[in-house]
Amino acid sequence: MKKKLTIGLFGFGVVGQGLYNVLNQTHGVKAVVKKIAIKDKDKVRTLSADLFTTEKSVILDDPSIDVVVELINDHEAAYAIVKQALINGKHVVTANKRMLAEHLEEFYELQQRYGKSILYEGSVCGSIPIIRNLEEYYDNDLLTSIEGIFNGSTNYILTKVFEEKKSYAEALLKAQELGFAETDPALDVEGYDAKFKLVIAMAHTFGVFVKPSDVINIGINKISSTDLKYAKEHNLSIKLVARAFKQGDQVFGFVAPQLIEAHHPLASIRNEYNAVLVEGAFAEKQTFVGKGAGSYPTGSAVLSDVSALTYGYAYEYKKRLQHELLTFSNDLLVEAIVTFDEEQQVSIQEFVNFKSGYAAHGKQLLQGELTLNKFKELSLRAGVSVILAPQVSFKPLSEKRPHQLLEV
Ligand code: HSE
């Protein structure tokens, strides 16, 4: 039996307005917004002033409100609101990926302690229904990997730079104007946003709670003209790929730009679209595609969570119950292409397994296997750009590969 829900909404920006509008256009969802908490009371709004408040307690302490929908920018303020809402006996729907990634384990415990649910489909890949699929559809399949394009802004920028020859700065500005980018766009272009989403996805794919600071993220902000030229000459594109996979009792996960072959499922994912490739022992490979950012696409995912609450849905974090807990590791070899301007910024001795290199017009390009930690270290070096090779295979360092490890 569906219950009619009364919502207290925090935030009325791109996603908050999207939710409000999709809720009003969807007759099947039994929910009504009673109050909206906003920061700026002087901003001109089209809705009645009675609907708004600047006091969070007006929502958090109202016993008639059963669901808090949290859609504000500030992740620290959001954390305080969400925690208090659960303690006050309210369900929560949020799309705040940074807050979730940083506090997921605590929210898992708070849900158990207070018997209330926190749902966050909109936090990972916008409109793609991935969290509930990982929880429910794949509850019995042994998932081995999840990877894809988890950030709409960077995919939008890469599409515009590649296909329309727009400058990086121009494309970023447009992504900001369209409301895809974070308030601080460094979170998008440096790969943090995709990492937060990956951390959330890992909890539902493998049952692990990983601290975001333990996960390596490399963004698209240092992609060089040499990388673009190399990609075009080899009929490749560049995508920012978030991935996590299981080998033995270990889980590996990181975010990095990668060269993608034309026939790869990610090659055709353009603009703000996201894609998630899931691989399981029985279902094998499946691809989900949808808009990863924007007012209505994300609003529709939030609405779907509100709808799920009307029939009492809660995540069970089923993968935590299915097998021994896995450990997260960065001890991995990756195959990369490293480009740089000056000679001797990067030496071939830094590779575990050096494959090839060339120099032309003052630019150098080296390809080979590196440890993931070295890959990250090189990405931070001035004038150096790193990118994963296409058809990359990843080798855990714990696998015995003495002939290559000896070369370090
Ligand atoms: N900045 C994010 C993106 C918004 O571009 O994907 C959606 O999470």
Side-chain angles (χ1 to χ4, degrees):
M1 175 63 181
K2 283 194 173 188
K3 181 178 183 298
K4 179 154 186 185
L5 297 174
T6 304
I7 297 174
L9 174 61
F10 281 84
F12 204 55
V14 172
V15 182
Q17 291 178 41
L19 167 71
Y20 193 84
N21 292 337
V22 292
L23 180 61
N24 284 334
Q25 288 170 41
T26 311
H27 303 296
V29 182
K30 290 166 72 181
V32 62
V33 175
K34 182 173 178 187
K35 266 295 173 220
I36 305 174
I38 36 113
K39 220 166 43 180
D40 180 1
K41 67 174 175 12
D42 298 325
K43 206 166 178 175
V44 180
R45 302 180 197 270
T46 49
L47 301 174
S48 156
D50 295 348
L51 201 53
F52 295 98
T53 178
T54 51
E55 290 299 322
K56 60 183 182 180
S57 60
V58 168
I59 290 177
L60 291 174
D61 296 337
D62 180 344
S64 72
I65 288 179
D66 355 72
V67 180
V68 162
V69 177
E70 180 287 304
L71 299 170
I72 65 173
N73 262 328
D74 179 338
H75 65 105
E76 283 169 358
Y79 168 64
I81 290 165
V82 168
K83 191 169 171 176
Q84 197 58 52
L86 291 170
I87 292 171
N88 289 7
K90 300 181 190 312
H91 298 297
V92 173
V93 175
T94 175
N96 200 318
K97 50 260 158 139
R98 179 171 186 175
M99 176 203 64
L100 288 162
E102 287 175 354
H103 301 283
L104 203 49
E105 188 160 12
E106 186 187 355
F107 288 141
Y108 170 69
E109 287 160 7
L110 286 172
Q111 288 178 83
Q112 292 182 330
R113 190 175 327 151
Y114 293 100
K116 293 292 157 186
S117 180
I118 166 165
L119 301 182
Y120 39 80
E121 191 63 72
S123 69
V124 180
C125 299
S127 67
I128 300 178
I130 191 61
I131 302 296
R132 240 178 294 158
N133 270 306
L134 290 169
E135 272 293 300
E136 307 304 331
Y137 183 84
Y138 296 104
D139 66 340
N140 289 311
D141 202 348
L142 303 171
L143 295 175
T144 49
S145 77
I146 182 166
E147 65 179 58
I149 296 170
F150 282 30
N151 180 270
S153 301
T154 46
N155 205 45
Y156 180 87
I157 294 168
L158 289 170
T159 306
K160 298 297 169 201
V161 167
F162 253 86
E163 293 181 13
E164 294 173 25
K165 297 190 174 52
K166 289 230 181 337
S167 73
Y168 175 87
E170 223 180 330
L172 171 59
L173 190 64
K174 192 75 190 154
Q176 288 177 293
E177 281 169 12
L178 290 167
F180 305 152
E182 298 300 300
T183 312
D184 174 5
L187 293 171
D188 295 295
V189 298
E190 294 178 18
Y192 287 95
D193 179 77
K195 168 166 85 171
F196 298 141
K197 294 166 178 168
L198 182 67
V199 163
I200 300 166
M202 281 196 283
H204 295 277
T205 312
F206 302 119
V208 287
F209 292 126
V210 185
K211 284 206 295 252
S213 54
D214 289 343
V215 180
I216 285 175
N217 58 293
I218 298 167
I220 63 162
N221 51 318
K222 288 181 77 189
I223 288 176
S224 64
S225 54
T226 315
D227 295 325
L228 293 176
K229 195 160 167 271
Y230 179 93
K232 284 191 174 147
E233 280 171 7
H234 292 80
N235 194 26
L236 301 164
S237 55
I238 299 177
K239 299 289 181 189
L240 184 68
V241 180
R243 56 163 48 81
F245 54 94
K246 175 169 112 64
Q247 292 206 5
D249 58 2
Q250 289 187 305
V251 173
F252 302 90
F254 61 100
V255 175
Q258 182 173 352
L259 290 160
I260 299 287
E261 290 180 315
H263 58 76
H264 191 282
L266 295 184
S268 60
I269 310 302
R270 300 171 59 253
N271 294 322
E272 76 271 31
Y273 275 83
N274 282 190
V276 185
L277 316 183
V278 176
E279 188 162 3
F282 310 129
E284 298 186 17
K285 292 185 183 178
Q286 291 179 305
T287 308
F288 298 78
V289 178
K291 284 196 173 171
S295 180
Y296 281 22
T298 313
S300 76
V302 174
L303 181 69
S304 170
D305 281 346
V306 171
S307 173
L309 287 174
T310 65
Y311 52 84
Y313 181 73
Y315 300 137
E316 290 176 56
Y317 300 81
K318 289 180 177 154
K319 305 297 186 303
R320 289 184 74 75
L321 312 171
Q322 279 175 6
H323 42 64
E324 303 258 308
L325 285 188
L326 305 166
T327 20
F328 182 77
S329 170
N330 282 320
D331 290 338
L332 197 66
L333 281 184
V334 300
E335 183 164 340
I337 286 170
V338 181
T339 56
F340 46 99
D341 290 334
E342 310 278 328
E343 276 191 35
Q344 288 171 347
Q345 272 174 336
V346 179
S347 95
I348 59 172
Q349 276 72 37
E350 295 184 86
F351 286 78
V352 173
N353 182 18
F354 177 71
K355 291 197 170 164
S356 61
Y358 71 75
H361 313 297
K363 306 275 184 193
Q364 296 236 4
L365 184 150
L366 305 177
Q367 179 164 355
E369 285 181 318
L370 299 157
T371 65
L372 184 57
N373 285 315
K374 175 62 78 177
F375 181 59
K376 173 69 189 176
E377 187 197 317
L378 292 178
S379 79
L380 299 173
R381 225 175 265 180
V384 176
S385 150
V386 298
I387 188 158
L388 292 172
Q391 287 186 331
V392 71
S393 67
F394 304 100
K395 296 167 190 157
L397 288 174
S398 55
E399 262 179 25
K400 298 284 176 276
R401 305 174 64 250
H403 57 292
Q404 284 177 341
L405 294 178
L406 284 174
E407 291 169 25
V408 180

